[in-house]
Amino acid sequence: MPMTRAQCLEADKIDPLARYRDAFVLPPDTIYLDGNSLGPLPKAVAGCLHDTVVEQWGQGLIGSWNDHDWIGLAERLGEKIAPLIGAGPGQVIVADSVSVNLYKLLATALSLRPGRTIILSSEDNFPTDLYIAQGLTALLGRERCELVILEGSRLMKAIGANTAVVMLTHVDFRSGRLYDMQSITQQVHDAGALMLWDLSHSTGALPLKLDAFDVDLAVGSGYKYLNGGPGAPAFLYVAARHLGNATQPLRGWMGHAEPFAFRPGYEPAPGILRFQSGTPPILSYRALEAALALWDNVDLDQLRDKSVLLSETFIELVQASEVLSDFVLNSPREAAERGSQVSFAHPLGYAIMRALIDRRVIGDFREPNLLRFGLAPMYTRYVDVWDAVAHLDGVMLNREYDTPEFREQPRVT
Ligand SMILES: *Cc1c(COP(=O)(O)O)cnc(C)c1O
């Protein structure tokens, strides 16, 4: 039996994470289930940006690079993210976008496995991950780099003596399916290859253990569960054991050992700092810094427990509803195999999601027919889940999706 609305309200009352909700700006009468695409605004961000613009930039001018340690932000924010992904110090920096970081780290992986040429990935990986690998392949040519993409279940058997790196997204962006990080990383290592995890849909949603599982390389997003703002900078992780030899192709001055020596030749900065390229966008970094401060005392096991109960409740409520009987669960039914989102297939998915958003229940739509709901445990309440499914019932009962307006897709879905 799924929870009743009264039981959801009870669960919210005793939720140890409930106090975090108040740290966010969440518009009234809105149920926000898209924090896996763009996290909501933490209240602390506006003040931090105001101070950064008016004081640090306005009054401090160029001196703020030192006086407010703008120059150290990439490293400082990396150290803040490290405990969220199970990384010890010196292995994480904030830089660029996930796409750009993938480019850097795929090239790093190839250089760490000389003689091996294959990047292996899954065909349902996030498209940018595949496009970036295609771009690197086009640049290097087939003798030096080849992208092989396969259906997920065939991947492990395909790893061979020519595989340099396996690149996978830990939580699938459509289905929310969660890969077994430890077992896959182990199998990839057994074949002598490196493992690169994309943590975009995992970081801030569940505990991660990169060091403990011997992961080689990873990237992740700043604007999803970390709530760093639209286009927030991303992060990258390189295991300490690789840092001595690791190089990357986007050799900008910010990754130089002495950027202000202005010498013509590139010499890499020590350690993880060499994975920086150009000047960081400080306003975006400062927004992310304010957002990351929320994570200081979050118990990630508690976060995961709540995430599991939220998604179980969502699935049980949908499956118990007669009007929703033609919604097909597209996420694993086993909680242990799911991240913090659920998706359902329905032939009218796009129009249904538009009608739901019209009721201020904000999820999103993914091609070809998926309604996707992110259940960010930091600020989503059990009662939000209950109310969201009740709204979905209402949309279907009243055929609110059946209007010409809701059939047209805008540029961002
Ligand atoms: C969101 C997401 C990205 C986004 O990449 P950007 O370059 O930061 O826009 C990449 N990969 C995955 C798996 C994602 O979920």
Side-chain angles (χ1 to χ4, degrees):
M1 280 285 284
M3 285 205 271
T4 62
R5 191 167 195 279
Q7 286 170 329
C8 287
L9 289 170
E10 260 327 289
D12 286 323
K13 249 189 233 157
I14 58 167
D15 170 16
L17 298 169
R19 63 201 156 97
Y20 288 105
R21 183 174 167 87
D22 191 46
F24 292 90
V25 175
L26 291 161
D29 303 321
T30 301
I31 299 175
Y32 192 60
L33 303 180
D34 212 1
N36 55 326
S37 232
L38 173 65
L41 171 65
K43 287 178 183 164
V45 167
C48 172
L49 283 183
H50 187 268
D51 176 67
T52 307
V53 171
V54 174
E55 294 301 323
Q56 298 190 358
W57 180 13
Q59 302 301 309
L61 294 164
I62 198 167
S64 287
W65 282 103
N66 293 316
D67 298 342
H68 293 286
D69 198 25
W70 288 350
I71 196 71
L73 267 171
E75 199 178 4
R76 197 157 81 233
L77 299 193
E79 295 305 340
K80 278 270 187 194
I81 290 171
L84 300 179
I85 61 173
Q91 304 173 101
V92 185
I93 54 160
V94 165
D96 305 302
S97 60
V98 171
S99 303
V100 172
N101 289 335
L102 283 166
Y103 194 84
K104 292 187 275 196
L105 293 191
L106 285 173
T108 300
L110 289 168
S111 72
L112 289 171
R113 286 292 176 272
R116 295 181 178 227
T117 57
I118 290 177
I119 298 172
L120 189 60
S121 194
S122 69
E123 62 190 12
D124 56 1
N125 202 347
F126 195 91
T128 204
D129 300 47
L130 302 177
Y131 303 159
I132 286 288
Q134 288 161 16
L136 189 60
T137 308
L139 179 75
L140 294 178
R142 273 194 74 151
E143 313 75 59
R144 289 168 64 204
C145 179
E146 195 179 342
L147 173 66
V148 176
I149 56 174
L150 294 169
E151 200 262 310
S153 63
R154 294 176 52 208
L155 271 172
M156 288 303 112
K157 284 189 211 90
I159 308 175
N162 201 16
T163 307
V165 58
V166 177
M167 167 181 70
L168 290 175
T169 295
H170 185 220
V171 173
D172 183 88
F173 76 105
R174 291 188 188 89
S175 66
R177 192 226 45 248
L178 177 68
Y179 277 119
D180 182 337
M181 180 179 284
Q182 182 169 28
S183 143
I184 291 177
T185 304
Q186 183 61 52
Q187 292 173 65
V188 168
H189 286 172
D190 289 347
L194 297 176
M195 186 68 218
L196 195 175
W197 286 106
D198 185 332
L199 307 175
S200 292
H201 283 280
S202 335
T203 316
L206 65 165
L208 294 163
K209 296 183 177 169
L210 265 60
D211 284 353
F213 294 166
D214 266 344
V215 170
D216 301 289
L217 308 160
V219 298
S221 173
Y223 55 79
K224 294 176 179 170
Y225 293 97
L226 297 184
N227 314 305
F235 67 86
L236 64 84
Y237 162 94
V238 180
R241 64 184 173 281
H242 296 306
L243 279 171
N245 307 320
T247 59
Q248 61 103 350
L250 303 182
R251 301 175 170 192
W253 69 313
M254 286 292 143
H256 191 280
E258 289 181 78
F260 291 89
F262 294 104
R263 284 192 295 271
Y266 176 78
E267 302 152 50
I272 193 74
L273 294 181
R274 72 186 53 174
F275 286 87
Q276 298 185 93
S277 296
T279 307
I282 295 303
L283 299 183
S284 298
Y285 274 57
R286 287 280 287 158
L288 179 60
E289 184 169 40
L292 286 175
L294 286 177
W295 292 92
D296 281 347
N297 300 307
V298 175
D299 177 332
L300 294 176
D301 293 316
Q302 268 179 2
L303 194 84
R304 174 65 176 162
D305 290 345
K306 182 178 175 190
S307 154
V308 166
L309 195 50
L310 287 169
S311 59
E312 281 295 303
T313 304
F314 199 110
I315 293 170
E316 285 172 15
L317 285 167
V318 170
Q319 293 187 338
S321 162
E322 263 172 48
V323 271
L324 303 181
S325 59
D326 47 359
F327 282 68
V328 179
L329 180 66
N330 179 59
S331 303
R333 186 62 193 86
E334 272 302 309
E337 294 164 21
R338 266 196 327 261
S340 204
Q341 73 200 50
V342 292
S343 66
F344 292 89
H346 191 290
L348 301 172
Y350 179 73
I352 294 169
M353 182 53 78
R354 285 288 299 276
L356 197 59
I357 292 171
D358 209 47
R359 284 178 172 245
R360 300 297 294 164
V361 178
I362 304 179
D364 61 21
F365 170 80
R366 286 293 173 264
E367 293 285 353
N369 59 358
L370 296 176
L371 297 112
R372 193 174 71 147
F373 301 95
L375 304 165
M378 214 180 195
Y379 47 82
T380 307
R381 296 170 301 193
Y382 295 98
V383 74
D384 293 329
V385 165
W386 201 96
D387 289 345
V389 178
H391 279 294
L392 193 54
D393 276 341
V395 164
M396 299 312 291
L397 271 176
N398 306 325
R399 302 178 63 92
E400 288 167 28
Y401 51 85
D402 198 7
T403 74
E405 182 201 345
F406 290 158
R407 282 182 222 121
E408 268 171 43
Q409 290 189 210
R411 284 181 65 194
V412 177
T413 55

